[in-house]
Each structure stands twice: as C-alpha cells, then as structure tokens.
C-alpha cells in the first residue's frame, strides 16, 4: 500500500525570493545578449570606418586642444598690464604710464650731429702723483695706538696713530726748560732795569741782565723749532706723538701695528686723493703731430662698462728710443670707485671733428648681455635694439632728425608718446653734451630713451629673471 504524496507548502517570503532570483537571471541574460550583438555590430563598423572615424576624431580632439592652448597663450600674452609693473617679451619692454612718469625717462630723437675723429691709444690707470702723501714719524718711537686701517677715508688733520717716543719727550723737556729760563731771565731783567733807572745798581749789571734775556729767548725759540721740526703737526696731541693725515684722501698703504718700533724714516701710511686719477697712455710717433694738450679723451678700462671722459693734460716732449713713442697723461675727474690704479685701459683721443648722419646721447648706450643697445620706442613698448657704435663727440648745431626742432614747446614736438601714453616731448641733448655715432641699429628720426635709460635695463633684467623661474 503506497504512502500518500506529501504536500510542500511555501511561505510568501520564500515565494518572493524565488521570483526575484528568476527576474535577475532574465535581466542578466538580456544584458549579455545585447552586449554580444553590440560588439559584433561595432566590430563591423570599425572594419569599414576605422580609418575615417579615427582620423576625424583625432582632428576634432587636436583642434579642440590647439584652440584651448592658443586661447590660454593669448590670454597670457594679452593679459592687461598690472599697475606699476613692467612686462617683457623678448627684447621688448612695456611699462605702465605710472612707471614711465616715476622713472623720468627722457625721450630724444636720433639724427645728425658732430662727432670726434679719434685715435685709440693703449694706457694704464695710475694714481695722481700730485695728490699722494707719505706719512712718516720723523722721530723713532713705539706704536701705542692705531686709529685708522687700510682703505679708510681720512680728512686733513685727523689722527692716524699715536706713538710713544723717548726722543720727542726729551725735546719737549728741553722746550720746557728753555721756557722757564726765559721767564727767570725776564724777571731778573725787569728788576735790574728798575734798579738801574733809580741809579741803585750799576749799568753793567743792567746790560748783563739784558743780554741774559736775549740769550734765553734765542734758546727758547731754538727748542721750539726743534720740537716742531721733529713732531710737525703731531706735536701737542697729548702725552704721545700723534701721526696726522696731511691731506684728505684714502689710506692705500699701511705699515704699522701696536707695539711696533718705528724708525724716523719708516713709511707708516700712504694717503691718496682718488677724486682725480691719471691714465698714462702711449702716443706713437705717427700720432704725435695730431695730439694736443686740452683735447678730449674717452677712456675705457677692463671690467668697467661705462667709459669716462677726461682731458689730455700732459704730452711728453721726449720720444723713447726703443718704442719710438711718447707718454701722455689723461686726467679723469671723479671717475668712480671702479677705476682702480693698475687697470689696463684704452683712450680715444679726439684729434678733430666731423659730421655724422646719426648720433644719440651717450647716456642712451647700455650694455645688455655683452652688447651695446639703445632702447628705441616701438609702438607702446621699448625695444632693446643692438647698435654698432662709431665715433664719439658732442652735440651741436643741426642735431635731430633732419635738423628738426625738438625742443620743448616747438611746433613739431610730439605732445605724447605712441599709443596715447603720456611722455615728455622728444628734445635734443644740451649743446656740448656727449654723443655717440650710430653706424647701424637706429635710424634718423627714431625716438629713443636718453636719460635714465639704465632703469629700462634693470627692468628688462628683472623680467628675464622672472621668466627663467
């Protein structure tokens, strides 16, 4: 007899779970079918249109990328200038109107002018031999105190060092003794003179007292002269012997230390007045007939960018037998601390004048990356334009583009800079101002920066340094 079949009863929760699982299986199957079909049709499209679609898609992406980069670069290049900042693009420098006004840039116009025909001669920077002082003690002594060091600037009469000198002390003792003897002799003479006038003493005693006073005065005067000759201006500086500066200048040599015993001929200090220096140049025989005292000279020294202007003050009258040349001297007034004696130099001596088609102010020439440049106005910016320098001279009649009147207030003077930027009218350099001939780089009539052009050089350097970082 078979058992009756068992009835399986499912709860509602189990039924719901089974239905959800079945639905998930159906959805997964449909998704797989769709992906397979899509992959098959996509492969067909790639086979037929891979080259065309890929090329087109690449062009679209490239165009989009290039356009974005160009827009970014354009935005950077044409971003508005910040107030008070300079912007450089290559050798071009753009300044804000505020900077131009604060810098006081002088705008000039290149044009014809007078320049000097020069001869270039070798030379060497030297001290002004007429402005050197050697300080010696005159009497032997021991250094007690040293107040000045090498390189210090001193004024006339300033104490440099103090010595203890036995010889000086002995001379001072003799002077004091002579002074006391003179006082006693004068007192004795006064008493004998009074007695003689009252006829109490004899005339012989009066005359002897008078002679004693005269001898005491001579002895006192001699002792004072000895002390002054030994100590000089150092006498009376306390208990010691003071070495003082005889001139204004700079200490260029020092040979003294505390406790050092010095002889009377020891060269303790050497003081030089560096406000003027000499440049000793060699004038060859072929140039002697054209060199004259008083001619202008432009001197360049190694390691110094700016040249210095001086005057030919001496021309030797004797020619050296071996070199067949004479020595000449150019005097430079206040050339600056960079001009140190011993530097090799070259001097351009102006032997005559000639007209030049294009000249600019000497202040406009700046050195940028080892080249001579002039900052020329180009639109709303200044271009550091390399130039080839020719002869040098001074401004005169006819200076300016085609002789145009460029003085302030002249009818053809430009009231403002290019681009509407406020700027001073282009003017000519003062008559007699140093000018330089431009053989290439700047044309007649072009505006350039004269005075304070070094400010543009500094701004250009700062901008380039910022771009490198």
């Amino acid at each position: 007899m078979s058992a009756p079949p068992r009835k399986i009863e499912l709860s509602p929760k189990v039924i719901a779970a089974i239905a959800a699982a079945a639905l998930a299986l159906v959805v997964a199957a449909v998704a797989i079918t769709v992906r397979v079909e899509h992959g098959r049709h996509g492969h067909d499209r790639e086979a037929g249109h891979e080259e065309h679609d890929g090329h087109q898609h690449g062009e679209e992406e490239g165009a989009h990328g290039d356009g974005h980069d160009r827009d970014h670069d354009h935005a950077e290049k044409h971003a508005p200038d910040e107030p008070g900042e300079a912007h450089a693009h290559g050798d071009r420098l753009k300044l804000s109107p505020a900077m131009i006004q604060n810098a006081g840039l002088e705008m000039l116009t290149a044009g014809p002018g007078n320049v000097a025909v020069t001869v270039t001669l070798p030379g060497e920077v030297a001290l002004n031999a007429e402005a050197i002082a050697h300080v010696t003690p005159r009497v032997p002594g021991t250094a007690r105190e040293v107040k000045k060091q090498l390189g210090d600037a001193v004024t006339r009469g300033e104490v440099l060092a103090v010595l203890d000198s036995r010889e000086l002390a002995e001379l001072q003792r003799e002077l004091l003794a002579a002074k006391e003897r003179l006082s006693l002799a004068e007192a004795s003479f006064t008493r004998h003179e009074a007695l003689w006038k009252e006829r109490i003493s004899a005339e012989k005693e009066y005359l002897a007292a008078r002679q004693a006073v005269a001898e005491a005065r001579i002895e006192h005067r001699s002792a004072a002269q000895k002390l002054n000759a030994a100590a000089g201006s150092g006498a009376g500086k306390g208990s010691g012997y003071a070495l003082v500066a005889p001139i204004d200048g700079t200490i260029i040599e020092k040979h003294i230390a505390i406790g050092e015993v010095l002889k009377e001929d020891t060269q303790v200090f050497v003081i030089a007045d560096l406000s003027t220096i000499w440049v000793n140049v060699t004038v060859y025989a072929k140039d002697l007939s054209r060199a004259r005292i008083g001619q202008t000279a432009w001197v360049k020294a190694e390691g110094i960018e700016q040249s210095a202007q001086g005057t030919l003050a001496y021309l030797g009258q004797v020619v050296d037998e071996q070199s067949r040349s004479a020595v000449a001297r150019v005097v430079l007034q206040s050339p600056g601390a960079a001009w140190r004696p011993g530097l090799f130099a070259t001097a351009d001596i102006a032997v005559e004048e000639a007209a030049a088609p294009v000249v600019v102010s000497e202040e406009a020439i700046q050195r940028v990356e080892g080249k001579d440049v002039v900052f020329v106005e180009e639109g709303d910016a200044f271009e550091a334009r390399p130039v080839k320098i020719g002869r040098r001279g001074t401004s005169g009649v006819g200076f300016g583009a085609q002789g145009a009147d460029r003085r302030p207030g002249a009818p053809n003077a430009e009231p403002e800079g290019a681009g509407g930027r406020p700027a001073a009218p282009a003017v000519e350099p003062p008559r007699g101002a140093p000018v330089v001939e431009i053989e290439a780089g700047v044309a007649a009539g072009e505006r350039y920066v004269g005075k304070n052009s070094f400010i543009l050089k500094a701004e250009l350097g700062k901008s380039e340094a910022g771009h490198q970082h």
Side-chain angles (χ1 to χ4, degrees):
M1 185 173 179
S2 63
R6 295 179 59 185
K7 297 177 75 175
I8 300 175
E9 294 183 359
L10 300 175
S11 65
K13 291 184 178 180
V14 174
I15 295 173
I18 294 173
L23 180 61
L25 291 173
V26 173
V27 171
V30 172
I32 292 173
T33 303
V34 172
R35 184 172 297 180
V36 171
E37 291 294 329
H38 179 71
R40 186 179 66 181
H41 290 292
H43 179 72
D44 294 339
R45 285 196 301 268
E46 285 182 13
H49 304 283
E50 181 178 4
E51 181 178 355
H52 176 73
D53 290 346
H55 179 71
Q56 182 176 2
H57 182 69
E59 285 184 347
E60 290 177 359
E61 287 187 351
H64 177 71
D66 293 343
H68 177 74
D69 293 341
R70 285 195 300 269
D71 292 342
H72 179 70
D73 294 341
H74 181 77
E76 286 186 348
K77 291 182 179 179
H78 297 280
D81 295 338
E82 296 292 336
E85 292 186 356
H87 298 268
H89 303 289
D91 293 334
R92 295 172 65 88
L93 183 68
K94 185 176 181 181
L95 275 67
S96 65
M99 289 192 67
I100 295 177
Q101 184 176 3
N102 294 334
L105 302 182
E106 180 188 43
M107 299 304 301
L108 303 173
T109 302
N114 295 328
V115 294
V117 178
T118 62
V119 292
T120 302
L121 304 174
E124 182 179 355
V125 180
L127 291 171
N128 183 348
E130 298 175 353
I132 298 178
H134 298 266
V135 181
T136 56
R138 297 188 181 183
V139 292
T142 303
R144 179 208 303 174
E145 184 179 2
V146 179
K147 294 181 175 292
K148 296 297 179 180
Q149 304 300 324
L150 194 65
D152 289 349
V154 297
T155 58
R156 182 176 182 180
E158 191 172 2
V159 177
L160 306 177
V162 179
L163 309 181
D164 290 326
S165 175
R166 182 173 57 185
E167 286 77 2
L168 183 65
E170 180 65 22
L171 292 174
Q172 290 175 339
R173 186 197 64 78
E174 291 180 4
L175 178 61
L176 290 175
K179 184 178 180 181
E180 290 297 327
R181 286 193 291 269
L182 177 60
S183 298
L184 293 175
E186 289 177 344
S188 177
F189 172 73
T190 301
R191 183 173 57 84
H192 281 85
E193 184 180 26
L195 293 175
W196 177 71
K197 288 182 179 180
E198 294 178 1
R199 297 187 180 276
I200 298 177
S201 63
E203 182 180 6
K204 182 179 179 180
E205 295 179 355
Y206 163 72
L207 294 177
R210 181 177 177 180
Q211 182 179 357
V213 168
E215 291 176 353
R217 286 176 178 171
I218 294 174
E219 185 180 356
H220 178 266
R221 189 179 299 114
S222 176
Q225 290 177 346
K226 288 182 180 179
L227 181 61
N228 291 334
S233 56
K237 303 293 183 181
S239 60
Y241 171 41
L243 295 175
V244 298
I247 62 172
D248 298 341
T250 302
I251 298 177
I252 60 174
E253 289 186 27
K254 169 180 169 288
H255 308 283
I256 185 175
I258 295 178
E260 183 178 359
V261 178
L262 306 173
K263 296 182 179 180
E264 61 273 14
D265 58 350
T266 303
Q267 185 175 281
V268 182
F269 294 98
V270 177
I271 302 174
D273 182 3
L274 302 179
S275 61
T276 61
I277 63 173
W278 289 354
V279 179
N280 297 322
V281 298
T282 301
V283 184
Y284 298 106
K286 62 184 180 63
D287 300 320
L288 281 174
S289 60
R290 298 194 293 172
R292 298 285 185 276
I293 294 178
Q295 290 174 335
T296 302
W298 292 271
V299 183
K300 290 183 179 180
E302 55 180 351
I304 303 177
E305 293 187 357
Q306 298 294 334
S307 62
Q309 182 175 341
T311 304
L312 190 66
Y314 169 78
L315 182 60
Q317 300 300 315
V318 179
V319 175
D320 184 81
E321 295 181 357
Q322 296 181 353
S323 63
R324 299 300 176 184
S325 63
V327 177
R329 179 187 305 143
V330 176
V331 178
L332 303 181
Q333 300 288 340
S334 302
W339 291 80
R340 292 177 171 83
L343 292 175
F344 289 110
T346 57
D348 294 330
I349 310 296
V351 294
E352 58 181 287
E353 287 191 354
V358 180
V359 294
V360 299
S361 172
E362 189 175 37
E363 291 182 313
I365 305 297
Q366 298 294 333
R367 294 285 292 181
V368 176
E369 296 181 352
K371 299 179 181 179
D372 294 319
V373 302
V374 173
F375 286 92
V376 180
E377 187 179 53
E378 287 285 349
D380 59 349
F382 299 99
E383 179 184 2
R385 191 179 298 175
V387 295
K388 181 180 180 182
I389 295 178
R391 299 165 295 184
R392 298 176 182 271
T394 56
S395 61
V397 180
F399 188 91
Q402 288 79 40
D405 188 2
R406 297 291 181 177
R407 293 169 294 179
N412 55 353
E414 300 179 32
E416 61 180 13
R421 181 181 65 248
V427 299
E428 67 178 58
R431 186 179 300 274
V435 294
V436 179
E437 179 186 15
I438 301 298
E439 297 181 351
V442 178
E446 288 190 297
R447 288 164 54 95
Y448 66 93
V449 180
K451 186 178 180 180
N452 296 335
S453 62
F454 65 90
I455 297 178
L456 297 182
K457 174 184 176 181
E459 292 294 336
L460 184 62
K462 289 192 296 185
S463 299
E464 291 178 351
H467 288 164
Q468 291 177 359
H469 292 285

